[in-house]
Amino acid sequence: MSVLLNSIQQSSEWVAQNTDPLVKDLWFMGSIWPITIIVTSYLYFVLKIGPEFMKYRNPYNIDRIVMIYNAVQVVFSLYLVKEAFRLVWLRDDYRLFCIEPNRDDPDIANQQAFTVWLFLASKFLDLLDTIFFVLRKKQSQITFLHVYHHTLVVALGWGLANFYPGGQAAFFGTINACVHVVMYSYYFLAVLNPEYKKAWWKKYLTIIQLVQFVIAGLHAFITIFEPDCDFPKIIMLLAIPQDIFMFILFFDFYRKAYIEPKKIKQ
């Protein structure tokens, strides 16, 4: 036990010492404990406490809350896209396969870091998706894909925001925020009118997700070979396997939800 506690203490000190100065004073940054508590609490609630609490209860009617939540997510994601274009994509120093943090302009550097932190905050907000599933007793939607995806993005997002808030992170962050604009718009409409749940274009939400991981993975792969780029290539090397794994999981969902039922009908 003493060895474990000592290891945790050393890890905590290492995180505190290596947190980027631009974010060290922001919530959840500078310590391993906030992210650990959030992820652990999320998993414990959605996998154990939540289902047990709802076992003998009727589903909660929280459609209005969910609708407001979806609308907030759309607006939040649109804001992140707007800030990404203002602070990264439309700047003169932008390079497609080498997006470096701007350290020459302290004001821009702080704004970029804060936007990355806001992206992390949006990932925390995403966790409410699963909590709403639990409270509405939609246990079938709490799949390995769903829980793994939310947990992974939060964990990796925290790592980037805490240690390297800027640079290449903007590429996936922008694409992901665009996807979320479309996705939460659909969720909003589905609550507003349940008929939209059966809309013919619903499957394209999953296709958009698949395209997202293909683009992000290819971009990360090409970035590895980009010369004179001040961004840790180890981050790209870690991201590529995750993009591949997420593509496999989402394609498996797409196959089971849209391809196999079509074959059965034929």
Side-chain angles (χ1 to χ4, degrees), residues 94-193:
Y94 167 73
R95 293 165 60 189
L96 178 59
F97 296 112
C98 181
I99 308 174
E100 299 174 313
N102 190 309
R103 302 298 186 184
D104 298 326
D105 187 332
D107 184 52
I108 293 296
N110 273 289
Q111 291 182 58
Q112 289 179 341
F114 184 68
T115 302
V116 173
W117 180 85
L118 283 178
F119 178 80
L120 172 63
S122 76
K123 299 303 105 181
F124 288 144
L125 196 59
D126 287 348
L127 299 181
L128 288 175
D129 271 345
T130 327
I131 294 173
F132 291 149
F133 286 156
V134 172
L135 297 178
R136 299 165 88 188
K137 295 192 78 168
K138 296 189 174 183
Q139 207 64 26
S140 62
Q141 293 181 290
I142 306 177
T143 61
F144 173 77
L145 166 60
H146 179 89
V147 176
Y148 178 80
H149 175 60
H150 280 297
T151 305
L152 176 75
V153 174
V154 164
L156 293 183
W158 177 85
L160 282 172
N162 193 76
F163 301 116
Y164 219 86
Q168 295 292 124
F171 187 86
F172 177 79
T174 306
I175 295 176
N176 186 254
C178 289
V179 170
H180 276 214
V181 170
V182 178
M183 184 177 74
Y184 282 106
S185 294
Y186 164 75
Y187 291 160
F188 176 85
L189 293 173
V191 177
L192 191 65
N193 185 351

Side-chain angles (χ1 to χ4, degrees), residues 2-16 32-33:
S2 62
V3 175
L4 177 61
L5 292 175
N6 186 53
S7 177
I8 293 174
Q9 179 63 28
Q10 290 179 349
S11 297
S12 182
E13 292 175 356
W14 184 88
V15 168
I32 199 172
W33 293 113

Side-chain angles (χ1 to χ4, degrees), residues 12-24:
S12 182
E13 292 175 356
W14 184 88
V15 168
Q17 292 170 2
N18 289 277
T19 296
D20 192 292
L22 294 174
V23 299
K24 65 182 179 65

